[in-house]
Amino acid sequence: MRAWEKNIRRVEPYVPGEQPDSPKMIKLNTNENPYPPAPGVQAACRDFDAESLRLYPDPSCRELAHELAACYGLEDGQIFVGVGSDDVLAMAFLTFFNSDRPVLFPDITYSFYDVWADLFRIPFERPALDEEFRIRKEDYYRENGGIIFPNPNAPTSLFLPLKDVEDIVAHNQDSVVIIDEAYVDFAEESALPLLKKYENLLVVQTFSKSRSMAGMRIGFACGSPRLIQAMKDVKESYNSYTMNRTSLRLGVQAVRDKAYFRETVERIIRTREKAKERMASLGFIFPDSQANFLFVHHPEKDAGEIFSKLKEREIYVRHWDRPRISGWLRITIGTEDQMERLYEALEEILKEK
Amino acid sequence: MRAWEKNIRRVEPYVPGEQPDSPKMIKLNTNENPYPPAPGVQAACRDFDAESLRLYPDPSCRELAHELAACYGLEDGQIFVGVGSDDVLAMAFLTFFNSDRPVLFPDITYSFYDVWADLFRIPFERPALDEEFRIRKEDYYRENGGIIFPNPNAPTSLFLPLKDVEDIVAHNQDSVVIIDEAYVDFAEESALPLLKKYENLLVVQTFSKSRSMAGMRIGFACGSPRLIQAMKDVKESYNSYTMNRTSLRLGVQAVRDKAYFRETVERIIRTREKAKERMASLGFIFPDSQANFLFVHHPEKDAGEIFSKLKEREIYVRHWDRPRISGWLRITIGTEDQMERLYEALEEILKEK
């Protein structure tokens, strides 16, 4: 080994959901939206002035921030925009979690939280979800250097009622509390209205799920002007230009078309509710999802086996060989047709000896 | 001050070049290309399939990496793609500079190196450029945890001859040496051919200058498969999807049109060489630029005053109030017409008492 190789950072390679590319496949493994982005997005693409690409983009993302602020009844200075919610969340860790006390997040949750904490040398502790995968709010009533959890949680799909979210925020007014709402548009309500009361609350959302733009990498945080300005200062201190001109332009169009947004979200929720009936009748058990996926377990069939047999049929779902969840599968809600093919395949697989 | 405010990361806000937006202005302050991207980029935009945006992008950026590899006679596994060269360079700092010894870079150089070093808690030292702003290669022949410098350097515009670059790399085979070639397409030669001999060399380039795509945020690193794989592992361990689908698609088109690329680069070089004559005849002194900008000083007129008087005329250049360079201005090479208007304005300003 050469001397310089000793100084290469050691990491655990992340294994993202497979990105197979076959015309016949049914891809229910990365929680993408089965419907295309709003029609205005396609038009904005067609009419985009490529000459403008010679110039740097607006580092403060003013136009997109303004559109989002208007959409959610906030001020422009309450919005921070980033390259997907991963970028926004990592920036929030870097900006707010600079205490010697541990940051708290659940033992079963989004897999990047501990990675960012390690990256930025932030101590953390992971209170366990209860036996039914619920967050126990009392676990978060103790000294800490910050709190973060997704709502709905991933991959469990469970939503923590807003009054419990508020209890956690109210008990932690000395910490920044981040609610990662990647899936909230499929759930009963967002924590955004709490921003009026709590200056230490940050709500993070994404265009990747409900807005059908996973391929565009747009995420955003909403919070008090004090929190948002701090994130902007940190971001601009070391990388000014991250959002490119196409993201900014097409993102605006995605926010503007509110009717299309509601229609596709409602369609996915209807398909999900029907999926609950069908999966139950196939013998699966699952938490009562408020996300665009189900997290399912079958008492009589090994999850790894179901995963492999679905894959043989070019149906891709997600399985983790990890403590507490190795018996479970995460299945994204697709179109009605895709879901019908899933049920047929599962029926066959469950009949096999 | 609330308790959570104490844990907000303290940073020195970065002040990017102004982004004025007036139809009459002449913008020579951020080293953008005055010509639009290749015609194929506009066509790719028009024909882009916005439906595909519902899916995550290819995290390994295969198509764009392949196109770049083919363009530079490298293997696909020798290319790492990121969100502008800032993203690529920050990732290289994080991946390779993990020693207790100081990383070395010049005292006058790109302003983000020390920021990233601080961010990742990397020790560093900054050997001084000589009185004529030249890198003294012997300053880099000592124990270190890595080396990085731009070539041509910024904001000095000076190019270090390739044999000197090779001497630095050859003297430091126990370190990773990064050559930041943001402006190299306007200079005599790239260090890319050295990759055949040195496994510890990383060459970083960008689409923001010579390829007219500052607004798209595309940068890339070329190096041995060992270095590139290490960067990919680190990047994917904490943020898998950074390059969006439009960047990947339009980037490919920008690389393909080699004739257009050569033509615009040569045009800028011709304008630069003429600018040297004109600026000299106005009494300015400057290093012999091999970049798309000049770094100029006037013995009889204060740089800050010239800066302000150009700004009154809606001509924007760059001035830093920093040790050793406060008497200097950085002026981007614009179109022939823009440069003529610059010379006229300077003539007026220099005549004023």
Side-chain angles (χ1 to χ4, degrees):
Chain A
M1 187 187 266
R2 303 290 295 264
W4 53 263
E5 291 192 75
K6 292 189 198 112
N7 293 326
I8 289 181
R9 191 180 187 87
R10 274 174 210 82
V11 294
E12 290 224 21
Y14 172 73
V15 183
E18 293 167 277
Q19 296 291 2
D21 188 13
S22 151
K24 277 171 55 195
M25 70 172 177
I26 296 184
K27 193 169 174 310
L28 306 175
N29 67 336
T30 53
N31 294 346
E32 289 150 335
N33 195 309
Y35 305 109
V41 172
Q42 179 74 66
C45 218
R46 194 183 53 231
D47 301 337
F48 187 83
D49 170 21
E51 289 210 8
S52 71
L53 290 175
R54 74 175 189 82
L55 298 169
Y56 281 97
D58 170 17
S60 56
C61 308
R62 254 166 299 202
E63 201 187 345
L64 182 52
H66 177 73
E67 200 69 37
L68 284 165
C71 177
Y72 293 109
L74 300 168
E75 290 165 35
D76 293 10
Q78 293 189 270
I79 308 281
F80 175 91
V81 176
V83 182
S85 58
D86 285 346
D87 180 43
V88 175
L89 290 165
M91 196 62 54
F93 271 60
L94 185 63
T95 305
F96 302 121
F97 294 165
N98 295 291
S99 155
D100 293 332
R101 295 174 191 157
V103 168
L104 306 180
F105 48 85
D107 65 334
I108 300 174
T109 194
Y110 188 44
S111 58
F112 272 145
Y113 296 163
D114 56 333
V115 173
W116 296 322
D118 284 336
L119 179 71
F120 301 128
R121 306 182 199 191
I122 300 165
F124 60 89
E125 285 173 17
R126 316 189 62 160
L129 299 181
D130 73 12
E131 285 308 305
E132 286 172 318
F133 295 140
R134 283 179 306 219
I135 288 174
R136 292 180 290 212
K137 64 183 178 183
E138 295 79 9
D139 291 344
Y140 297 84
Y141 297 173
R142 56 178 163 115
E143 251 196 9
N144 61 70
I147 289 173
I148 179 166
F149 57 89
N151 199 30
N153 195 8
T156 67
S157 78
L158 272 177
F159 182 74
L160 185 71
L162 193 58
K163 64 175 175 28
D164 296 335
V165 172
E166 178 163 6
D167 281 344
I168 291 175
V169 179
H171 274 83
N172 287 284
Q173 301 208 37
D174 287 344
S175 297
V176 173
V177 179
I178 304 176
I179 316 296
D180 175 359
E181 293 192 336
Y183 301 103
V184 82
D185 293 319
F186 308 106
E188 59 190 55
E189 58 188 330
S190 163
L192 285 172
L194 299 180
L195 291 179
K196 286 198 188 68
K197 285 174 68 176
Y198 301 98
E199 209 186 352
N200 62 322
L201 170 65
L202 193 79
V203 176
V204 176
Q205 297 193 3
T206 176
F207 282 48
S208 297
K209 314 297 180 187
S210 53
R211 297 193 184 277
S212 302
M213 289 181 84
M216 207 62 193
R217 317 310 305 126
I218 307 175
F220 59 102
C222 307
S224 58
R226 177 76 185 94
L227 291 189
I228 296 301
Q229 191 56 51
M231 287 184 75
K232 287 181 181 172
D233 287 345
V234 170
K235 186 232 164 207
E236 285 182 17
S237 76
Y238 79 94
N239 190 354
S240 324
Y241 303 105
T242 56
M243 298 298 294
N244 67 27
R245 283 176 173 264
T246 49
S247 290
L248 295 173
R249 177 62 54 84
L250 275 55
V252 166
Q253 294 305 321
V255 182
R256 274 193 191 150
D257 196 336
K258 295 185 177 56
Y260 181 85
F261 170 73
R262 274 193 302 270
E263 183 194 316
T264 48
V265 165
E266 279 163 19
R267 201 192 291 189
I268 290 164
I269 291 174
R270 279 198 304 273
T271 308
R272 178 189 72 201
E273 295 306 309
K274 194 162 154 192
K276 289 177 186 174
E277 291 171 28
R278 298 292 294 268
M279 295 297 283
S281 75
L282 286 165
F284 285 94
I285 60 169
F286 43 84
D288 190 24
S289 170
Q290 291 207 31
N292 70 336
F293 58 88
L294 298 186
F295 192 53
V296 307
H297 169 75
H298 201 283
E300 284 146 38
K301 199 84 169 179
D302 179 71
E305 188 186 339
I306 299 175
F307 172 82
S308 303
K309 289 190 166 166
L310 284 172
K311 192 169 163 179
E312 283 166 19
R313 290 164 170 82
E314 291 198 77
I315 300 177
Y316 294 83
V317 300
R318 199 79 196 270
H319 176 242
W320 290 274
D321 202 2
R322 285 202 208 138
R324 296 189 69 186
I325 61 170
S326 60
W328 296 73
L329 296 171
R330 191 192 70 186
I331 303 177
T332 306
I333 302 300
T335 62
E336 283 289 337
D337 282 356
Q338 291 175 326
M339 297 307 280
E340 287 299 330
R341 282 184 48 198
L342 170 74
Y343 309 138
E344 283 165 30
L346 286 172
E347 202 158 14
E348 277 175 33
I349 292 165
L350 292 169
K351 271 183 199 151
E352 288 172 22
K353 279 295 162 232
Chain B
M1 185 187 269
R2 303 289 295 264
W4 55 263
E5 290 192 76
K6 292 190 197 112
N7 292 326
I8 289 181
R9 191 180 187 89
R10 276 175 207 82
V11 294
E12 290 224 23
Y14 172 74
V15 184
E18 292 168 279
Q19 296 291 2
D21 188 13
S22 150
K24 279 171 53 194
M25 71 174 177
I26 297 185
K27 193 170 175 306
L28 306 174
N29 66 338
T30 52
N31 295 345
E32 290 150 333
N33 196 310
Y35 304 108
V41 172
Q42 180 74 69
C45 218
R46 195 183 53 233
D47 301 338
F48 187 82
D49 171 21
E51 289 211 7
S52 71
L53 290 174
R54 74 175 189 82
L55 298 169
Y56 281 97
D58 169 17
S60 58
C61 308
R62 253 167 300 200
E63 201 186 344
L64 182 52
H66 177 74
E67 200 70 35
L68 284 164
C71 176
Y72 293 109
L74 299 168
E75 289 164 36
D76 293 10
Q78 292 189 270
I79 308 281
F80 175 91
V81 176
V83 182
S85 59
D86 285 346
D87 179 44
V88 175
L89 289 164
M91 196 60 54
F93 271 60
L94 185 62
T95 306
F96 301 122
F97 294 167
N98 294 292
S99 153
D100 293 332
R101 297 174 190 157
V103 168
L104 305 179
F105 48 85
D107 65 332
I108 300 173
T109 195
Y110 187 46
S111 58
F112 272 144
Y113 297 162
D114 56 332
V115 174
W116 296 321
D118 284 336
L119 178 70
F120 301 128
R121 308 183 198 189
I122 301 165
F124 61 89
E125 286 174 16
R126 317 188 60 160
L129 300 180
D130 74 12
E131 285 308 306
E132 288 172 315
F133 294 139
R134 283 178 307 219
I135 287 174
R136 292 179 292 213
K137 64 182 179 184
E138 295 79 9
D139 290 344
Y140 298 83
Y141 298 173
R142 56 180 163 115
E143 251 196 8
N144 62 70
I147 289 174
I148 179 165
F149 57 90
N151 200 28
N153 195 7
T156 69
S157 79
L158 273 177
F159 182 74
L160 185 70
L162 194 58
K163 64 175 175 28
D164 295 336
V165 173
E166 177 162 6
D167 281 345
I168 291 174
V169 180
H171 274 83
N172 287 285
Q173 302 207 32
D174 286 345
S175 297
V176 172
V177 179
I178 303 177
I179 316 296
D180 175 357
E181 293 193 335
Y183 301 103
V184 82
D185 293 320
F186 307 105
E188 61 190 53
E189 57 189 330
S190 163
L192 285 172
L194 298 181
L195 291 179
K196 286 197 187 69
K197 284 173 69 176
Y198 301 97
E199 209 188 350
N200 61 321
L201 171 65
L202 193 79
V203 176
V204 176
Q205 297 192 3
T206 176
F207 281 48
S208 297
K209 315 297 178 187
S210 54
R211 297 193 184 277
S212 301
M213 289 179 84
M216 207 63 193
R217 317 311 305 126
I218 308 177
F220 59 103
C222 307
S224 57
R226 178 77 185 91
L227 291 189
I228 297 302
Q229 189 57 49
M231 289 183 74
K232 287 182 183 172
D233 287 346
V234 170
K235 185 231 164 210
E236 286 182 14
S237 76
Y238 79 93
N239 190 352
S240 324
Y241 304 104
T242 56
M243 300 296 295
N244 66 27
R245 284 177 173 263
T246 49
S247 290
L248 294 174
R249 177 62 55 86
L250 275 54
V252 165
Q253 295 304 321
V255 182
R256 276 194 190 148
D257 196 338
K258 295 183 177 56
Y260 181 86
F261 171 73
R262 273 193 303 270
E263 184 193 315
T264 48
V265 166
E266 279 162 19
R267 201 191 290 189
I268 290 164
I269 291 174
R270 280 197 305 274
T271 308
R272 178 189 72 200
E273 294 306 309
K274 195 163 156 191
K276 290 177 186 173
E277 291 171 27
R278 298 292 293 271
M279 295 298 283
S281 74
L282 288 166
F284 286 93
I285 60 167
F286 42 86
D288 192 23
S289 169
Q290 291 207 31
N292 69 337
F293 58 88
L294 297 186
F295 191 56
V296 308
H297 169 75
H298 201 284
E300 287 146 37
K301 199 85 171 181
D302 179 70
E305 188 185 340
I306 301 175
F307 170 84
S308 301
K309 290 190 164 166
L310 284 174
K311 192 170 161 176
E312 285 166 16
R313 291 164 170 82
E314 289 199 79
I315 300 177
Y316 294 83
V317 301
R318 197 80 197 268
H319 176 242
W320 290 272
D321 202 3
R322 285 201 207 138
R324 295 189 70 186
I325 60 170
S326 60
W328 296 74
L329 296 171
R330 192 192 68 184
I331 303 178
T332 306
I333 303 300
T335 62
E336 283 290 335
D337 282 356
Q338 291 175 324
M339 297 307 282
E340 287 300 331
R341 281 182 51 198
L342 169 74
Y343 309 139
E344 283 166 28
L346 287 172
E347 204 159 14
E348 279 175 31
I349 292 165
L350 292 168
K351 271 181 198 151
E352 290 171 19
K353 280 291 163 239

